[in-house]
Amino acid sequence: MANEKYDLVVVGGGPAGYAAAIRAGQLGKKVACVEMDRAGGTCLNWGCIPSKALIKSAELIHSIKKSEEFGISVGSVDYDFSKIIKRSRGVADQMAKGIEFLFKKNKVQYLVGKAHVDDAKTVSIVDGENKGKKLSAANILISTGCRARRLPFLPESDRIMTSREALVMKEQPKSVAIIGSGAIGVEFAYFLNAFGTKVTILEVMDQLVPVEDEEIAKTLGREFKKQGIKSELGVQVTKGELTKDGVKLTYSKKGKDVELEVDAVIQAVGVAAFLEGAVNPALGLKTDRDFLVVDDNYMTNVAGVYAAGDIIGPPWLAHVATFEAVQAVNGIFGAGKPRRVKNFPGATYCNPQIASTGVTEKKAKEQGLDFKVGKFPFVASGKAVAGAHSEGFVKLISDAKTGEILGAHIIGRDATELITEYCLAMEMEGTIDEIHGTIHAHPTLSEALAEAAADTHSEAIHI
């Protein structure tokens, strides 16, 4: 029996894979997408989406606890942790079904199973419900993504989790150590703390959210402290052992060993490329630290084999993965010249939220850029004060001569929604004067974006 032939076979069905398959379908191509778990990949099923459902529950109980501030008395508040987790899984299930519907709409053949790229024109399904099928492809796009890293010296246990296991924890821990304070780490810290878990963050760097602007990180640290979250910075976890009731960690702080006993541990120490068993080594795909190397057209060193998303390296963000995949497919089928990622937003959904794009102030100094800084605090925003979420600020870094935006950093309510205006401005090579000159509705949080731009020239009205 001849192998079924496709214009494109996509290996992996996460934010890069499903977007690539759908875009190829929109272009009228015959396309198959092979996913070993479920449509949507890690982000939709085990990351971005279910974690935001958990955070929404945390935001709700956080608001209820502040209800007296709004003149509303609610009495004692109870919650069911298992129902919170169950709702999170339900949201993920609903969204996965949505992706499956989009596959049907765009005539994408969706195959569940573990794919193996045999050669530049053939993909086999080696495990799962479609085991044994072989697909012939004019083009192959690999988007197998990443998996959570584990610290090798920590023992295997239900009490020692990555984000994947933490999303389905059966019981709420009374205390938890979170190793790492990137987006995943601080989001779990906020969620668990909101429901009363005693949270300790252990971070090897000297600031929380190490990729963010220093002022942003310091502000988050102060807000976390107010919430009762403990942050141990500049520490190195060296040992972990199971105890009768939990886990005992040993970490080095200023040259001294410190022991910490907790009910559970969450490892949030980054990601590793997930390519094991997906590609025939004889194909000779070039890698860098296990991530696939691609050119400006997203093609690997093997003609006809492309890659996009987390598997080609940082930044490991779902929205970047989707962008890359669409660009790759457009290039493969002549629907436009592919673009590599330059400007992109980072988004962290703790409370307060953090969002950023472009250079930090520290990076601007290190690069010797001639720049100016504009800032506006949310405490001066009528909308923020009225909503009782006036913590945080907007910080804008611009070229001193041209006014072109070089970087933007926001910490505060809905920061992840607000950042897109700056991203658009940077994409269009916009300036702070154009932001300042655009009328923003009053009262809105977005006014802070214009005020920060105005502050670059000391022209902000409300500070």
Side-chain angles (χ1 to χ4, degrees):
M1 182 177 176
N3 300 343
E4 193 163 357
K5 296 181 179 180
Y6 295 88
D7 297 309
L8 176 68
V9 171
V10 181
V11 179
Y18 78 70
I22 289 170
R23 179 59 184 143
Q26 290 173 343
L27 293 171
K29 304 303 177 182
K30 186 175 181 180
V31 54
C33 180
V34 186
E35 164 58 42
M36 64 184 293
D37 189 358
R38 191 172 185 185
T42 297
C43 174
L44 194 154
N45 293 290
W46 300 103
C48 323
I49 302 304
S51 67
K52 301 313 164 283
L54 296 180
I55 286 170
K56 186 61 183 177
S57 295
E59 289 173 347
L60 183 57
I61 199 165
H62 187 86
S63 295
I64 292 171
K65 289 176 180 178
K66 293 174 66 176
S67 65
E68 291 286 350
E69 192 174 335
F70 294 87
I72 301 170
S73 298
V74 296
S76 62
V77 179
D78 294 323
Y79 65 91
D80 186 326
F81 193 77
S82 65
K83 285 185 178 180
I84 292 169
I85 297 294
K86 185 179 179 181
R87 177 182 178 273
S88 168
R89 300 314 309 158
V91 169
D93 289 345
Q94 179 180 336
M95 297 306 295
K97 289 176 183 176
I99 299 300
E100 291 168 7
F101 165 77
L102 291 173
F103 280 159
K104 290 179 182 178
K105 176 185 174 183
N106 291 282
K107 296 180 173 59
V108 173
Q109 185 171 6
Y110 169 48
L111 300 168
V112 177
K114 182 174 176 58
H116 181 269
V117 181
D118 300 337
D119 55 48
K121 298 295 180 184
T122 311
V123 175
S124 297
I125 302 180
V126 296
D127 201 2
E129 61 186 74
N130 288 285
K131 183 178 179 180
K133 283 192 176 183
K134 281 188 177 289
L135 315 176
S136 293
N139 302 279
I140 296 169
L141 188 140
I142 300 171
S143 54
T144 49
C146 290
R147 55 177 172 76
R149 286 185 60 235
R150 291 180 177 271
L151 295 172
F153 54 83
L154 293 182
E156 293 284 336
S157 168
D158 291 343
R159 293 181 178 273
I160 300 176
M161 301 169 277
T162 67
S163 58
R164 180 160 182 146
E165 295 84 36
L167 284 168
V168 290
M169 62 178 87
K170 292 181 174 61
E171 295 182 1
Q172 178 188 357
K174 293 181 180 179
S175 60
V176 65
I178 299 177
I179 305 174
S181 70
I184 292 172
V186 296
E187 287 176 5
F188 270 108
Y190 167 64
F191 163 65
L192 288 168
N193 175 75
F195 289 99
T197 296
K198 183 179 179 181
V199 177
T200 303
I201 297 173
L202 303 175
E203 170 56 54
V204 70
M205 303 298 286
D206 291 325
Q207 72 170 58
L208 292 172
V209 285
V211 301
E212 301 293 347
D213 185 87
E214 287 182 347
E215 282 189 277
I216 296 284
K218 288 178 181 177
T219 299
L220 180 64
R222 289 193 294 269
E223 293 299 323
F224 267 14
K225 187 175 181 179
K226 290 178 187 177
Q227 294 172 30
I229 298 171
K230 183 178 181 181
S231 301
E232 289 277 47
L233 306 178
V235 302
Q236 179 77 50
V237 179
T238 56
K239 186 180 178 181
E241 54 187 307
L242 297 175
T243 64
K244 180 182 177 182
D245 299 315
V247 184
K248 182 167 72 174
L249 294 177
T250 303
Y251 61 91
S252 176
K253 181 178 181 181
K254 295 181 180 179
K256 295 183 179 179
D257 283 347
V258 179
E259 290 185 348
L260 173 67
E261 292 197 40
V262 290
D263 286 345
V265 172
I266 297 175
Q267 303 171 80
V269 291
V271 296
F274 186 59
L275 201 59
E276 296 92 336
V279 177
N280 183 355
L283 194 57
L285 293 182
K286 185 178 179 181
T287 61
D288 180 9
R289 290 168 296 176
D290 295 328
F291 293 97
L292 291 175
V293 175
V294 296
D295 64 15
D296 287 343
N297 296 313
Y298 297 93
M299 189 167 75
T300 67
N301 59 306
V302 176
V305 179
Y306 299 79
D310 288 357
I311 194 60
I312 68 172
W316 297 291
L317 299 169
H319 43 283
V320 169
T322 297
F323 176 89
E324 290 173 340
V326 171
Q327 293 297 311
V329 171
N330 284 344
I332 291 169
F333 297 115
K337 182 175 174 56
R339 290 189 294 148
R340 293 301 303 268
V341 175
K342 291 183 180 179
N343 299 319
F344 60 89
T348 303
Y349 296 82
C350 51
N351 187 9
Q353 290 185 3
I354 296 171
S356 61
T357 187
V359 297
T360 63
E361 185 173 359
K362 182 179 180 180
K363 285 291 184 184
K365 289 177 181 176
E366 290 173 353
Q367 293 174 19
L369 302 178
D370 185 13
F371 67 94
K372 290 185 177 181
V373 175
K375 286 177 64 178
F376 187 79
F378 281 115
V379 73
S381 161
K383 180 68 180 292
V385 173
H389 42 72
S390 58
E391 66 281 351
F393 59 89
V394 177
K395 180 176 184 177
L396 198 54
I397 300 166
S398 60
D399 186 278
K401 294 179 181 177
T402 67
E404 192 171 327
I405 297 169
L406 304 174
H409 309 274
I410 308 173
I411 181 168
R413 183 63 170 254
D414 291 333
T416 57
E417 303 288 344
L418 295 171
I419 194 66
T420 304
E421 179 176 331
Y422 285 148
C423 292
L424 178 61
M426 291 175 70
E427 191 69 22
M428 300 178 70
E429 298 183 355
T431 67
I432 52 170
D433 297 324
E434 289 168 323
I435 294 287
H436 181 201
T438 299
I439 298 174
H440 290 65
H442 176 77
T444 61
L445 296 177
S446 69
E447 290 175 286
L449 306 181
E451 290 273 43
D455 182 57
T456 307
H457 299 310
S458 299
E459 295 176 8
I461 297 298
H462 294 97
I463 53 174

